[in-house]
Amino acid sequence: MKTGILFATLLFVSTQATNAQDWEWLIPRPHGQIISAVGSVGRDTLFAGCTGGIVQRSYDGGSTWTSWKLETPKISALFCVDAGHVWLGTSGAILFSSNLGESWTEQFRQGSLDFTSLLFADENTGYALLGGSLFRTWDGGNSWENANLSTRISSVTLARDGVLFASIDSTVFRSVDKGNTWTTFSNLSFAPAAVRFFSANIGVAFSTAMQIVGTTDGGKKWSKMGFYSAMNVTDMLFLDSTKLVLILPTSTALINITTDFGLNWNTPALQMPVTGYIRSTFANKDGSVTLFGMYGGVLLKSLDSIQSLTQIHGFGSEAGNMIPFFTQQGDGVLLSGFNNSTQYSRTHDFGNTWTVENFPNNISPVCPLRVRDTIIYAVLPREPSVGFAVSSDLGKSWDIRGRLPTDTVNKWSESNLKSGDARSGDIWYSCSGGSIFLSEDEGRTWKLTHIDIQDAAERGSAGYRISAPDKDAVYVMASTLVFVSQDKGRIWRSYEVSSRQGVRLGDMHFVTRLKGFVADKSYGMFFKTTDGGVTWHQVPNVNANRIYFLDQDHGWATSSSSIARTTDGGETWITAKFDELYNIATMFFLTPYEGWMTGTVREGSTTGGGVTLRHTRNGGVNAVHSPSPSATLIRVYDITGREILHVEEHSDLTDQKAYSLRIGDCAPGMYWYTVRIGKEIQAGKLVVVK
């Protein structure tokens, strides 16, 4: 047997870090740009322009995507003539690509406002709307001139027969000679937000005041279209002379279709639920491809004139509960937390590129999926009971486990499945409809514990949470209470965390049976107990509504725009502020310093808006303490995060010190170490070669 020796030279430098520069954006962001512009070249080559200056292209109808980050804060318009002629409207500039987006050149720059419309009649003749002024080109965008129509143009549209229309206040103008001369087409009774025309005679006008009118006789008569909504109209889209799509700013019934020019309307069925609202639209001339880009990165596609719609998850869905999970080899999944989601995203390169995969037909999650170690838990809605599916290979295969007792199914509302630590991984708990269930065989059989927290839940809980730090102790959070059992749920006691009015506990984690933390969603207060939940004390200078712990020492507490990190089991916390995020959703850490985080970005941010995934290699928050004479503790972890070695030495620390660690039977490969001296911690990688 060979024994290897590792040498690590550790140099400690006192630094001050109070911002969030320890996190990198993953580009392309798989889950969450605001898709502000869409287009297509044929049925399979799709383009999406996103906030943050990101352009995405797919060659296979949206299954896989290639991404580019351009030097612009926003892409506001997009138009494709063919594979060699693609234009982008950005903040103050028009960009052109002759090679399907592989490279882009700037053709025109005018101020810093967004180009809100970009239209081309052919590869040479095009129009662009910027800040109420219309510009046109005759040479494919190489030169542009002001059409000198007005500086108050609210919309411009190009009919399929080449006639150009523009709306100014309540007047609609028309040009039949590519914008050289303009004549008054119609005077409306209101100022439309936009006009859309199918041909020289057939068009519609709509306002943000719920007014929709249409004409089929060249503007001589405008009639109200038979659609009523309490909301403003976002956009209207012609598929043919009588079939139109009406877009509303809502996540329910957001697409409405008429096939008789507005006499009757209906809402098409989607293959899966949609969240968010539509921000961009596209339909090619023959109606074979229709695209809708949404806030949150969802792309809707139809290949049959919207007889059916498919939700493409190449970008992902809304921020809420996107849950990342990775292995050290770079394999990972990003799981949707929305009910009845049928798809999830997979990566093999630590999140740089993603593909979309489907859950098996017999697995239909109805609540956020939960991850623990290398297992994914999915909830199965199967009458007459509710059960679980388990995967130990990142969703490639699934094992159907036992169902909850049938007499409680009607009360089922949410499941938060947590297992114990590695010493008791066969102990699982589940909370359903105010009842707590226990499984002692990894979810194969379940029994009801002697507790009912329904009354506490009805007092205004932000949700149930269960924490099981060892094989006997279990803690349940509901409302402002924490229920405690030290004997697998046989005897329960409850303790109030805070008597402050309005407190809504949102998350909880116990690192041992005595030490635990809870976070309040209403005020962001962060509480700690050291006596098993009997008494609670607010942790100063930490604002949090979510908690994540990798082990007993390494934990993170996040609020809407900040993150706090501990490396000593919560004795001390270091906080960093995110200027661009307003909602940190979920976290997953593979080692004490390498992790991923999902969150929502402000729409006005320079990095764009919507949902995103971020990555850190140093724990997310740098240490700020200066080294001091104290005990030195060295820990070494394997690729699964399991501790395989620790060395403790009580001696003063010099500026630089070397340690020789005998790794014994450790297999060749990559390992991770942490070194703590007092409250200072340093982390790094080690490679064993034999």
Side-chain angles (χ1 to χ4, degrees), residues 214-341:
T215 181
T216 58
D217 59 3
K220 296 177 182 178
K221 180 181 178 182
W222 291 84
S223 302
K224 290 185 177 180
M225 306 188 76
F227 183 89
Y228 173 78
S229 171
M231 293 170 292
N232 300 326
V233 177
T234 299
D235 200 0
M236 296 187 72
L237 193 67
F238 272 98
L239 299 183
D240 59 37
S241 60
T242 60
K243 187 171 185 178
L244 292 93
V245 182
L246 183 145
I247 311 298
L248 296 175
T250 175
S251 59
T252 58
L254 59 129
I255 299 174
N256 295 269
I257 295 177
T258 179
T259 59
D260 52 15
F261 203 70
L263 295 178
N264 300 281
W265 296 85
N266 65 82
T267 301
L270 300 178
Q271 291 187 3
M272 57 193 309
V274 172
T275 58
Y277 51 93
I278 293 176
R279 295 295 301 269
S280 53
T281 61
F282 167 82
N284 62 354
K285 290 185 177 181
D286 62 5
S288 60
V289 180
T290 310
L291 301 173
F292 303 100
M294 301 180 67
Y295 180 93
V298 174
L299 183 64
L300 303 179
K301 179 182 71 171
S302 175
L303 299 179
D304 52 14
S305 295
I306 317 189
Q307 299 298 319
S308 62
L309 274 168
T310 301
Q311 180 170 328
I312 298 175
H313 268 237
F315 301 95
S317 57
E318 206 49 79
N321 292 294
M322 301 310 300
I323 302 174
F325 182 73
F326 288 84
T327 68
Q328 195 58 56
Q329 289 73 31
D331 296 323
V333 292
L334 201 53
L335 307 170
S336 172
F338 292 104
N339 291 354
N340 301 313
S341 176

Side-chain angles (χ1 to χ4, degrees), residues 22-24 589 593-596 614-621:
D22 308 300
W23 294 86
E24 63 178 346
F589 272 82
Y593 59 92
E594 183 157 25
W596 290 261
R614 299 187 77 170
H615 176 230
T616 183
R617 290 188 174 90
N618 65 354
V621 183

Side-chain angles (χ1 to χ4, degrees), residues 320-321 323 367-368 370 414-418 429-432 435-436 451 453 457 461-468 474-479 481-484 492 504-510 517-519 521 545-548 585-586:
N321 292 294
I323 302 174
C367 77
R370 304 292 177 182
E414 178 183 356
S415 178
N416 293 283
L417 185 61
K418 301 278 186 176
Y429 293 93
S430 179
C431 183
S432 296
S435 299
I436 309 300
I451 184 177
I453 61 174
S461 171
Y464 307 126
R465 293 293 185 271
I466 306 176
S467 185
V474 57
Y475 303 84
V476 179
M477 178 204 78
S479 186
L481 301 177
V482 172
F483 295 81
V484 180
W492 292 88
R504 296 171 63 246
L505 301 183
D507 207 357
M508 176 186 67
H509 184 83
F510 274 76
F517 302 88
V518 295
K521 295 191 70 172
N545 50 44
R546 291 179 182 265
I547 308 168
Y548 181 90
T586 56

Side-chain angles (χ1 to χ4, degrees), residues 497-498 500 518 520 523-529 535-543:
V497 175
S498 174
R500 179 175 177 178
V518 295
D520 159 57
Y523 306 108
M525 295 186 295
F526 190 51
F527 298 93
K528 175 183 177 181
T529 182
T535 59
W536 294 86
H537 306 281
Q538 186 175 352
V539 179
N541 303 319
V542 176
N543 187 273

Side-chain angles (χ1 to χ4, degrees), residues 346-418:
R346 183 181 299 279
T347 181
H348 298 290
D349 55 7
F350 292 96
N352 290 306
T353 59
W354 297 82
T355 58
V356 180
E357 297 189 7
N358 295 314
F359 286 110
N361 292 332
N362 63 335
I363 295 178
S364 182
V366 295
C367 77
L369 301 176
R370 304 292 177 182
V371 297
R372 174 77 181 204
D373 299 325
T374 57
I375 297 178
I376 302 170
Y377 306 100
V379 180
L380 296 170
R382 292 292 182 266
E383 297 295 342
S385 187
V386 176
F388 299 91
V390 180
S391 174
S392 57
D393 54 9
L394 290 181
K396 296 177 182 178
S397 61
W398 294 86
D399 176 24
I400 307 300
R401 297 288 172 86
R403 305 182 188 280
L404 302 183
T406 57
D407 59 349
T408 61
V409 170
N410 291 334
K411 294 199 304 179
W412 185 88
S413 61
E414 178 183 356
S415 178
N416 293 283
L417 185 61
K418 301 278 186 176

Side-chain angles (χ1 to χ4, degrees), residues 9 66 115 159 194 201 383 402 438 471 499 583 611 647 672:
T9 301
T66 302
F115 281 91
N201 295 318
E383 297 295 342
L438 165 69
K471 63 180 182 179
S499 60
N583 177 36
V611 187
V647 177
W672 322 99

